[in-house]
Amino acid sequence: MNQTELEGKWNQVKGKFKQQYGDVTDDDVTFSEGKFDEMLGRLQEKTGKTKEELKNEIERL
């Protein structure tokens, strides 16, 4: 997967999380290189799911 495909996939994931979890904001899903774990932590806090559950959900999207 190249960078453009990865960015497109990430935009889809952000949109779906924001639709599914109304209190997730752009700030919660915005991340830069090296911030993925921090972003997962924010999503964990908002959704009550484990990091593994969130990673699996992202992979399925």
Side-chain angles (χ1 to χ4, degrees):
M1 184 176 289
N2 68 34
Q3 185 66 28
T4 303
E5 292 170 328
L6 183 61
E7 288 174 8
K9 181 71 171 173
W10 177 242
N11 286 331
Q12 291 175 12
V13 168
K14 287 192 306 186
K16 288 182 181 190
F17 265 98
K18 286 169 33 178
Q19 287 173 16
Q20 189 168 355
Y21 306 106
D23 61 342
V24 173
T25 67
D26 282 336
D27 288 340
D28 295 321
V29 294
T30 300
F31 78 102
S32 61
E33 193 172 319
K35 294 289 188 172
F36 190 72
D37 281 337
E38 181 180 343
M39 185 267 319
L40 282 177
R42 285 183 175 207
L43 290 173
Q44 264 188 289
E45 189 176 325
K46 297 278 184 162
T47 65
K49 294 186 175 192
T50 67
K51 283 187 181 183
E52 195 60 39
E53 288 173 320
L54 291 167
K55 286 179 183 180
N56 289 336
E57 192 167 337
I58 289 169
E59 288 175 7
R60 286 192 312 266
L61 296 176

